[in-house]
Amino acid sequence: MKPSSIAGTVALLAALLCLRVLATQLPIPGPYTRVGFDLLGGLAAVWAASHFDREDGPNLGWWLVAGTHWFLGLGRVWAAFVAPPWTIPGARALIVLANVCWPMALFVFGHALDRGLAELGGRRGRALAWLFGLAALSLALWVIYIGVWTKLIADDITVDRVFIAGSDAFIMLADAAVFTAAARLLAIAAPILDGAVVRTYALLCLSAALSLGAEALVVLQPQLEMTRLAGAQRWLGAGAWATLAGAAVLQAWILTAMRRARLQRERAATA
């Protein structure tokens, strides 16, 4: 079964999600398990990037996706091994870098798509960007107000709290921007490009939505005092990783299949 088919794509996502969930049952501390998956996600993105020439826009975009995974992993490694008072500031700085790479990757993908398809799908893309952008931004601002600013106002301000509050606010806004950009890409690509390519953009959009939801629960859980939200947050986080890694694997698989088909046609023509 090919991942480029709908059934293959679903099977790929299910396998990645099951792998992520089952790994949490191993006798390995949680941070180390997550670092391993950050490494794997980055390698999947590098695999996708390797199918493009250096001057191609998607090449840089997938390297930025790899950077997103790897900076997150470095942030967890830093938090596990670096002693206070640099634990939280350093870890949060690396997580912020990851959330700089994430929207930059979508900007690169959008720029590459705009060069060929903007005139065909620009109006639809702009309308969807406004629709989803306002909704995502509203959610981000609400979560920032409830979970971040109230934390600073209600509690004593410390350096660690400032870093946590500031990075949480930045991550929420970055996730909202990525979700908006991914929705725009999907709106442009859906009526025009091959279905397998569209599914890559759909997975990027879904990953951004799941990441936005997971971060919102991370911030809101202490405020709402609902322990069940922790389980929901873990599932959303696992889904965000699986869909992003799945998008990279699907992209690489599509390009591999296209390259093989082209070589077969060239061999048939010269035979």
Side-chain angles (χ1 to χ4, degrees), residues 14-71:
L16 289 171
L17 186 58
C18 288
L19 179 65
R20 173 71 183 264
V21 173
L22 290 175
T24 61
Q25 308 304 316
L26 297 175
I28 302 173
Y32 302 108
T33 302
R34 288 193 292 255
V35 168
F37 279 100
D38 290 329
L39 177 61
L40 287 176
L43 291 175
V46 170
W47 186 33
S50 68
H51 288 76
F52 294 94
D53 294 331
R54 287 188 178 183
E55 61 271 14
D56 291 338
N59 175 277
L60 175 59
W62 285 113
W63 273 106
L64 287 168
V65 172
T68 301
H69 284 288
W70 290 341
F71 278 124

Short mmCIF file of all heavy atoms in Angstrom, two decimals, residues 14-71:
data_model
loop_
_atom_site.label_atom_id
_atom_site.label_comp_id
_atom_site.label_asym_id
_atom_site.label_seq_id
_atom_site.Cartn_x
_atom_site.Cartn_y
_atom_site.Cartn_z
N ALA A 14 -1.51 6.38 11.31
CA ALA A 14 -1.85 5.47 12.41
C ALA A 14 -0.59 4.79 12.95
O ALA A 14 -0.43 4.65 14.17
CB ALA A 14 -2.85 4.43 11.92
N ALA A 15 0.31 4.38 12.05
CA ALA A 15 1.55 3.73 12.49
C ALA A 15 2.42 4.69 13.30
O ALA A 15 2.96 4.33 14.36
CB ALA A 15 2.31 3.20 11.28
N LEU A 16 2.55 5.93 12.81
CA LEU A 16 3.37 6.91 13.52
C LEU A 16 2.76 7.25 14.88
O LEU A 16 3.47 7.37 15.89
CB LEU A 16 3.51 8.18 12.68
CG LEU A 16 4.40 8.06 11.43
CD1 LEU A 16 4.27 9.32 10.57
CD2 LEU A 16 5.85 7.82 11.81
N LEU A 17 1.45 7.41 14.92
CA LEU A 17 0.78 7.75 16.18
C LEU A 17 0.90 6.60 17.18
O LEU A 17 1.18 6.82 18.36
CB LEU A 17 -0.68 8.09 15.92
CG LEU A 17 -1.48 8.61 17.12
CD1 LEU A 17 -0.84 9.86 17.69
CD2 LEU A 17 -2.93 8.89 16.72
N CYS A 18 0.69 5.36 16.71
CA CYS A 18 0.82 4.21 17.59
C CYS A 18 2.25 4.08 18.11
O CYS A 18 2.47 3.77 19.29
CB CYS A 18 0.41 2.93 16.85
SG CYS A 18 -1.37 2.78 16.57
N LEU A 19 3.23 4.32 17.24
CA LEU A 19 4.62 4.28 17.67
C LEU A 19 4.89 5.29 18.76
O LEU A 19 5.54 4.98 19.77
CB LEU A 19 5.53 4.55 16.46
CG LEU A 19 7.04 4.58 16.72
CD1 LEU A 19 7.53 3.20 17.15
CD2 LEU A 19 7.79 5.04 15.48
N ARG A 20 4.36 6.50 18.59
CA ARG A 20 4.57 7.55 19.59
C ARG A 20 3.88 7.19 20.91
O ARG A 20 4.46 7.38 21.99
CB ARG A 20 4.01 8.87 19.05
CG ARG A 20 4.00 10.04 20.04
CD ARG A 20 5.39 10.55 20.34
NE ARG A 20 5.34 11.61 21.33
CZ ARG A 20 5.33 12.90 21.04
NH1 ARG A 20 5.40 13.29 19.77
NH2 ARG A 20 5.28 13.81 21.98
N VAL A 21 2.66 6.67 20.84
CA VAL A 21 1.92 6.35 22.06
C VAL A 21 2.53 5.14 22.77
O VAL A 21 2.71 5.14 23.99
CB VAL A 21 0.44 6.10 21.73
CG1 VAL A 21 -0.30 5.58 22.96
CG2 VAL A 21 -0.21 7.38 21.22
N LEU A 22 2.87 4.10 22.01
CA LEU A 22 3.45 2.90 22.62
C LEU A 22 4.80 3.18 23.27
O LEU A 22 5.16 2.55 24.26
CB LEU A 22 3.58 1.80 21.57
CG LEU A 22 2.27 1.18 21.07
CD1 LEU A 22 2.54 0.19 19.95
CD2 LEU A 22 1.53 0.49 22.21
N ALA A 23 5.54 4.12 22.69
CA ALA A 23 6.85 4.43 23.25
C ALA A 23 6.75 5.00 24.66
O ALA A 23 7.68 4.88 25.45
CB ALA A 23 7.58 5.41 22.35
N THR A 24 5.60 5.63 24.96
CA THR A 24 5.42 6.19 26.31
C THR A 24 5.29 5.09 27.36
O THR A 24 5.41 5.37 28.55
CB THR A 24 4.19 7.09 26.35
OG1 THR A 24 3.01 6.31 26.03
CG2 THR A 24 4.30 8.24 25.36
N GLN A 25 5.02 3.85 26.94
CA GLN A 25 4.88 2.74 27.88
C GLN A 25 6.22 2.07 28.20
O GLN A 25 6.29 1.20 29.06
CB GLN A 25 3.91 1.70 27.30
CG GLN A 25 2.58 2.26 26.86
CD GLN A 25 1.84 3.00 27.96
OE1 GLN A 25 1.80 2.51 29.10
NE2 GLN A 25 1.29 4.15 27.64
N LEU A 26 7.27 2.47 27.48
CA LEU A 26 8.58 1.87 27.73
C LEU A 26 9.17 2.42 29.03
O LEU A 26 8.85 3.55 29.44
CB LEU A 26 9.53 2.18 26.57
CG LEU A 26 9.12 1.60 25.20
CD1 LEU A 26 10.09 2.09 24.13
CD2 LEU A 26 9.12 0.07 25.24
N PRO A 27 10.02 1.66 29.71
CA PRO A 27 10.65 2.13 30.96
C PRO A 27 11.75 3.15 30.70
O PRO A 27 12.90 2.97 31.12
CB PRO A 27 11.19 0.84 31.57
CG PRO A 27 11.50 -0.03 30.39
CD PRO A 27 10.42 0.26 29.39
N ILE A 28 11.41 4.19 29.98
CA ILE A 28 12.35 5.25 29.65
C ILE A 28 11.75 6.57 30.12
O ILE A 28 10.56 6.81 29.89
CB ILE A 28 12.62 5.32 28.13
CG1 ILE A 28 13.15 3.98 27.62
CG2 ILE A 28 13.60 6.43 27.80
CD1 ILE A 28 13.29 3.91 26.12
N PRO A 29 12.50 7.42 30.82
CA PRO A 29 11.94 8.71 31.25
C PRO A 29 11.34 9.49 30.08
O PRO A 29 11.88 9.49 28.97
CB PRO A 29 13.15 9.44 31.84
CG PRO A 29 14.08 8.34 32.25
CD PRO A 29 13.88 7.24 31.24
N GLY A 30 10.21 10.15 30.35
CA GLY A 30 9.48 10.87 29.32
C GLY A 30 10.31 11.82 28.47
O GLY A 30 10.20 11.80 27.24
N PRO A 31 11.15 12.67 29.06
CA PRO A 31 11.93 13.61 28.25
C PRO A 31 12.82 12.92 27.23
O PRO A 31 12.95 13.39 26.10
CB PRO A 31 12.76 14.37 29.29
CG PRO A 31 11.98 14.25 30.56
CD PRO A 31 11.34 12.91 30.50
N TYR A 32 13.41 11.77 27.61
CA TYR A 32 14.30 11.08 26.68
C TYR A 32 13.52 10.47 25.53
O TYR A 32 13.99 10.44 24.39
CB TYR A 32 15.11 10.02 27.42
CG TYR A 32 15.93 10.58 28.55
CD1 TYR A 32 15.59 10.34 29.88
CD2 TYR A 32 17.04 11.37 28.28
CE1 TYR A 32 16.34 10.88 30.91
CE2 TYR A 32 17.80 11.91 29.31
CZ TYR A 32 17.43 11.66 30.63
OH TYR A 32 18.17 12.20 31.65
N THR A 33 12.32 9.97 25.82
CA THR A 33 11.47 9.43 24.75
C THR A 33 11.12 10.53 23.76
O THR A 33 11.19 10.34 22.54
CB THR A 33 10.19 8.83 25.34
OG1 THR A 33 10.53 7.81 26.28
CG2 THR A 33 9.31 8.24 24.25
N ARG A 34 10.76 11.70 24.27
CA ARG A 34 10.36 12.81 23.39
C ARG A 34 11.54 13.30 22.57
O ARG A 34 11.39 13.67 21.41
CB ARG A 34 9.76 13.95 24.22
CG ARG A 34 8.38 13.63 24.77
CD ARG A 34 7.73 14.88 25.30
NE ARG A 34 8.42 15.36 26.48
CZ ARG A 34 7.93 15.23 27.72
NH1 ARG A 34 6.77 14.65 27.91
NH2 ARG A 34 8.61 15.69 28.75
N VAL A 35 12.73 13.31 23.17
CA VAL A 35 13.92 13.73 22.41
C VAL A 35 14.17 12.77 21.25
O VAL A 35 14.51 13.19 20.13
CB VAL A 35 15.16 13.78 23.34
CG1 VAL A 35 16.43 13.93 22.52
CG2 VAL A 35 15.04 14.95 24.31
N GLY A 36 13.98 11.47 21.48
CA GLY A 36 14.14 10.50 20.42
C GLY A 36 13.18 10.75 19.27
O GLY A 36 13.56 10.67 18.09
N PHE A 37 11.94 11.10 19.58
CA PHE A 37 10.97 11.38 18.53
C PHE A 37 11.25 12.71 17.85
O PHE A 37 10.97 12.86 16.65
CB PHE A 37 9.55 11.33 19.09
CG PHE A 37 9.02 9.94 19.22
CD1 PHE A 37 9.03 9.28 20.44
CD2 PHE A 37 8.54 9.26 18.11
CE1 PHE A 37 8.56 7.98 20.55
CE2 PHE A 37 8.08 7.96 18.21
CZ PHE A 37 8.08 7.32 19.43
N ASP A 38 11.79 13.67 18.58
CA ASP A 38 12.21 14.92 17.94
C ASP A 38 13.31 14.65 16.92
O ASP A 38 13.33 15.22 15.83
CB ASP A 38 12.72 15.92 19.00
CG ASP A 38 11.59 16.46 19.86
OD1 ASP A 38 10.46 16.57 19.37
OD2 ASP A 38 11.86 16.76 21.04
N LEU A 39 14.22 13.76 17.28
CA LEU A 39 15.29 13.38 16.35
C LEU A 39 14.72 12.69 15.11
O LEU A 39 15.08 13.02 13.97
CB LEU A 39 16.29 12.47 17.05
CG LEU A 39 17.44 11.92 16.19
CD1 LEU A 39 18.30 13.05 15.64
CD2 LEU A 39 18.29 10.94 17.00
N LEU A 40 13.81 11.76 15.32
CA LEU A 40 13.19 11.05 14.19
C LEU A 40 12.41 11.99 13.29
O LEU A 40 12.48 11.90 12.06
CB LEU A 40 12.27 9.94 14.71
CG LEU A 40 12.95 8.70 15.30
CD1 LEU A 40 11.90 7.75 15.87
CD2 LEU A 40 13.78 8.00 14.24
N GLY A 41 11.64 12.91 13.90
CA GLY A 41 10.88 13.87 13.10
C GLY A 41 11.79 14.74 12.26
O GLY A 41 11.50 15.03 11.09
N GLY A 42 12.91 15.16 12.84
CA GLY A 42 13.86 15.97 12.08
C GLY A 42 14.48 15.19 10.93
O GLY A 42 14.65 15.73 9.83
N LEU A 43 14.78 13.91 11.16
CA LEU A 43 15.35 13.09 10.10
C LEU A 43 14.34 12.88 8.97
O LEU A 43 14.72 12.85 7.78
CB LEU A 43 15.79 11.73 10.67
CG LEU A 43 17.00 11.77 11.60
CD1 LEU A 43 17.27 10.39 12.18
CD2 LEU A 43 18.23 12.28 10.87
N ALA A 44 13.06 12.74 9.31
CA ALA A 44 12.03 12.62 8.27
C ALA A 44 11.98 13.88 7.41
O ALA A 44 11.85 13.81 6.18
CB ALA A 44 10.67 12.35 8.91
N ALA A 45 12.10 15.05 8.06
CA ALA A 45 12.10 16.31 7.31
C ALA A 45 13.33 16.43 6.42
O ALA A 45 13.25 16.93 5.29
CB ALA A 45 12.02 17.49 8.28
N VAL A 46 14.49 15.98 6.92
CA VAL A 46 15.71 15.99 6.11
C VAL A 46 15.55 15.08 4.91
O VAL A 46 16.01 15.39 3.80
CB VAL A 46 16.93 15.59 6.96
CG1 VAL A 46 18.16 15.37 6.08
CG2 VAL A 46 17.21 16.66 8.00
N TRP A 47 14.91 13.94 5.10
CA TRP A 47 14.65 13.02 3.99
C TRP A 47 13.81 13.70 2.91
O TRP A 47 14.09 13.58 1.71
CB TRP A 47 13.94 11.77 4.50
CG TRP A 47 13.75 10.69 3.46
CD1 TRP A 47 14.59 10.40 2.43
CD2 TRP A 47 12.67 9.77 3.38
NE1 TRP A 47 14.08 9.35 1.69
CE2 TRP A 47 12.92 8.94 2.25
CE3 TRP A 47 11.52 9.56 4.15
CZ2 TRP A 47 12.03 7.92 1.87
CZ3 TRP A 47 10.65 8.54 3.77
CH2 TRP A 47 10.91 7.74 2.64
N ALA A 48 12.79 14.45 3.34
CA ALA A 48 11.98 15.19 2.37
C ALA A 48 12.82 16.27 1.67
O ALA A 48 12.73 16.45 0.45
CB ALA A 48 10.78 15.82 3.07
N ALA A 49 13.64 16.99 2.44
CA ALA A 49 14.47 18.06 1.85
C ALA A 49 15.46 17.51 0.84
O ALA A 49 15.77 18.17 -0.16
CB ALA A 49 15.21 18.80 2.96
N SER A 50 15.95 16.29 1.09
CA SER A 50 16.98 15.72 0.21
C SER A 50 16.47 15.45 -1.20
O SER A 50 17.27 15.23 -2.12
CB SER A 50 17.53 14.42 0.82
OG SER A 50 16.54 13.40 0.81
N HIS A 51 15.14 15.45 -1.39
CA HIS A 51 14.57 15.18 -2.71
C HIS A 51 14.46 16.45 -3.56
O HIS A 51 14.01 16.38 -4.70
CB HIS A 51 13.20 14.53 -2.56
CG HIS A 51 13.27 13.10 -2.10
ND1 HIS A 51 13.54 12.77 -0.79
CD2 HIS A 51 13.13 11.93 -2.76
CE1 HIS A 51 13.55 11.45 -0.66
NE2 HIS A 51 13.30 10.92 -1.84
N PHE A 52 14.83 17.59 -2.99
CA PHE A 52 14.80 18.85 -3.73
C PHE A 52 16.23 19.33 -3.95
O PHE A 52 17.13 19.04 -3.16
CB PHE A 52 14.03 19.93 -2.95
CG PHE A 52 12.55 19.65 -2.79
CD1 PHE A 52 12.07 19.01 -1.66
CD2 PHE A 52 11.66 20.04 -3.78
CE1 PHE A 52 10.72 18.76 -1.51
CE2 PHE A 52 10.30 19.78 -3.63
CZ PHE A 52 9.83 19.15 -2.50
N ASP A 53 16.43 20.09 -5.02
CA ASP A 53 17.70 20.76 -5.22
C ASP A 53 17.86 21.89 -4.21
O ASP A 53 16.87 22.40 -3.67
CB ASP A 53 17.78 21.34 -6.64
CG ASP A 53 17.80 20.23 -7.70
OD1 ASP A 53 18.29 19.14 -7.38
OD2 ASP A 53 17.29 20.48 -8.82
N ARG A 54 19.09 22.29 -3.96
CA ARG A 54 19.35 23.31 -2.95
C ARG A 54 18.66 24.63 -3.25
O ARG A 54 18.24 25.35 -2.34
CB ARG A 54 20.85 23.56 -2.82
CG ARG A 54 21.59 22.43 -2.11
CD ARG A 54 23.03 22.82 -1.85
NE ARG A 54 23.75 21.77 -1.12
CZ ARG A 54 25.01 21.88 -0.72
NH1 ARG A 54 25.70 22.98 -1.00
NH2 ARG A 54 25.58 20.88 -0.07
N GLU A 55 18.53 24.96 -4.54
CA GLU A 55 17.92 26.23 -4.89
C GLU A 55 16.39 26.19 -4.83
O GLU A 55 15.74 27.23 -4.94
CB GLU A 55 18.37 26.68 -6.28
CG GLU A 55 17.99 25.73 -7.41
CD GLU A 55 19.04 24.66 -7.64
OE1 GLU A 55 19.93 24.50 -6.77
OE2 GLU A 55 18.99 23.99 -8.69
N ASP A 56 15.81 25.01 -4.68
CA ASP A 56 14.36 24.90 -4.59
C ASP A 56 13.88 25.37 -3.22
O ASP A 56 14.47 25.02 -2.18
CB ASP A 56 13.92 23.45 -4.82
CG ASP A 56 14.14 23.00 -6.25
OD1 ASP A 56 14.22 23.88 -7.13
OD2 ASP A 56 14.25 21.78 -6.49
N GLY A 57 12.78 26.13 -3.22
CA GLY A 57 12.24 26.64 -1.96
C GLY A 57 11.89 25.55 -0.96
O GLY A 57 12.23 25.66 0.23
N PRO A 58 11.20 24.47 -1.36
CA PRO A 58 10.84 23.43 -0.39
C PRO A 58 12.03 22.81 0.32
O PRO A 58 11.89 22.30 1.43
CB PRO A 58 10.09 22.41 -1.25
CG PRO A 58 9.50 23.20 -2.37
CD PRO A 58 10.53 24.25 -2.67
N ASN A 59 13.21 22.81 -0.32
CA ASN A 59 14.39 22.28 0.35
C ASN A 59 14.64 23.02 1.66
O ASN A 59 14.81 22.41 2.72
CB ASN A 59 15.60 22.39 -0.58
CG ASN A 59 16.90 21.98 0.09
OD1 ASN A 59 17.53 22.77 0.79
ND2 ASN A 59 17.31 20.74 -0.12
N LEU A 60 14.67 24.35 1.59
CA LEU A 60 14.86 25.15 2.79
C LEU A 60 13.70 24.98 3.76
O LEU A 60 13.90 24.91 4.99
CB LEU A 60 15.01 26.63 2.41
CG LEU A 60 15.11 27.62 3.57
CD1 LEU A 60 16.29 27.31 4.47
CD2 LEU A 60 15.18 29.06 3.05
N GLY A 61 12.48 24.89 3.23
CA GLY A 61 11.32 24.72 4.09
C GLY A 61 11.39 23.47 4.93
O GLY A 61 11.15 23.50 6.14
N TRP A 62 11.79 22.34 4.32
CA TRP A 62 11.87 21.11 5.09
C TRP A 62 13.05 21.11 6.06
O TRP A 62 12.99 20.50 7.12
CB TRP A 62 11.95 19.91 4.15
CG TRP A 62 10.61 19.60 3.52
CD1 TRP A 62 10.26 19.72 2.21
CD2 TRP A 62 9.43 19.15 4.21
NE1 TRP A 62 8.94 19.38 2.03
CE2 TRP A 62 8.41 19.02 3.23
CE3 TRP A 62 9.14 18.85 5.53
CZ2 TRP A 62 7.13 18.60 3.56
CZ3 TRP A 62 7.86 18.43 5.86
CH2 TRP A 62 6.87 18.31 4.88
N TRP A 63 14.14 21.80 5.70
CA TRP A 63 15.24 21.95 6.67
C TRP A 63 14.77 22.75 7.89
O TRP A 63 15.18 22.47 9.02
CB TRP A 63 16.44 22.62 6.02
CG TRP A 63 17.36 21.65 5.33
CD1 TRP A 63 17.50 21.44 4.00
CD2 TRP A 63 18.25 20.73 5.98
NE1 TRP A 63 18.43 20.45 3.75
CE2 TRP A 63 18.91 20.00 4.95
CE3 TRP A 63 18.57 20.46 7.30
CZ2 TRP A 63 19.86 19.01 5.22
CZ3 TRP A 63 19.52 19.47 7.57
CH2 TRP A 63 20.15 18.77 6.54
N LEU A 64 13.92 23.75 7.65
CA LEU A 64 13.37 24.52 8.78
C LEU A 64 12.45 23.66 9.63
O LEU A 64 12.42 23.80 10.87
CB LEU A 64 12.62 25.75 8.26
CG LEU A 64 13.51 26.87 7.72
CD1 LEU A 64 12.68 27.90 6.96
CD2 LEU A 64 14.28 27.54 8.86
N VAL A 65 11.68 22.77 8.99
CA VAL A 65 10.87 21.82 9.76
C VAL A 65 11.76 20.92 10.61
O VAL A 65 11.47 20.65 11.79
CB VAL A 65 9.98 20.98 8.82
CG1 VAL A 65 9.28 19.87 9.60
CG2 VAL A 65 8.94 21.86 8.13
N ALA A 66 12.88 20.47 10.02
CA ALA A 66 13.84 19.67 10.80
C ALA A 66 14.36 20.47 11.98
O ALA A 66 14.49 19.95 13.10
CB ALA A 66 14.99 19.22 9.90
N GLY A 67 14.67 21.76 11.74
CA GLY A 67 15.13 22.62 12.83
C GLY A 67 14.09 22.75 13.93
O GLY A 67 14.43 22.80 15.12
N THR A 68 12.82 22.78 13.55
CA THR A 68 11.74 22.84 14.54
C THR A 68 11.82 21.64 15.48
O THR A 68 11.77 21.78 16.71
CB THR A 68 10.37 22.87 13.84
OG1 THR A 68 10.30 24.00 12.97
CG2 THR A 68 9.24 22.94 14.86
N HIS A 69 11.92 20.44 14.91
CA HIS A 69 12.02 19.23 15.72
C HIS A 69 13.27 19.26 16.59
O HIS A 69 13.22 18.96 17.80
CB HIS A 69 12.10 17.99 14.81
CG HIS A 69 10.79 17.59 14.21
ND1 HIS A 69 9.77 17.02 14.94
CD2 HIS A 69 10.33 17.65 12.92
CE1 HIS A 69 8.75 16.75 14.15
NE2 HIS A 69 9.06 17.13 12.92
N TRP A 70 14.41 19.61 16.00
CA TRP A 70 15.68 19.48 16.71
C TRP A 70 15.85 20.53 17.79
O TRP A 70 16.42 20.24 18.85
CB TRP A 70 16.83 19.52 15.71
CG TRP A 70 16.86 18.28 14.86
CD1 TRP A 70 16.26 17.07 15.14
CD2 TRP A 70 17.53 18.11 13.61
NE1 TRP A 70 16.51 16.17 14.14
CE2 TRP A 70 17.28 16.76 13.18
CE3 TRP A 70 18.30 18.95 12.80
CZ2 TRP A 70 17.78 16.26 11.99
CZ3 TRP A 70 18.81 18.44 11.61
CH2 TRP A 70 18.55 17.12 11.20
N PHE A 71 15.36 21.74 17.57
CA PHE A 71 15.43 22.74 18.64
C PHE A 71 14.53 22.34 19.82
O PHE A 71 14.88 22.59 20.98
CB PHE A 71 15.04 24.12 18.12
CG PHE A 71 16.17 24.85 17.44
CD1 PHE A 71 16.04 25.31 16.14
CD2 PHE A 71 17.37 25.07 18.09
CE1 PHE A 71 17.09 25.97 15.50
CE2 PHE A 71 18.42 25.74 17.47
CZ PHE A 71 18.28 26.19 16.17
#
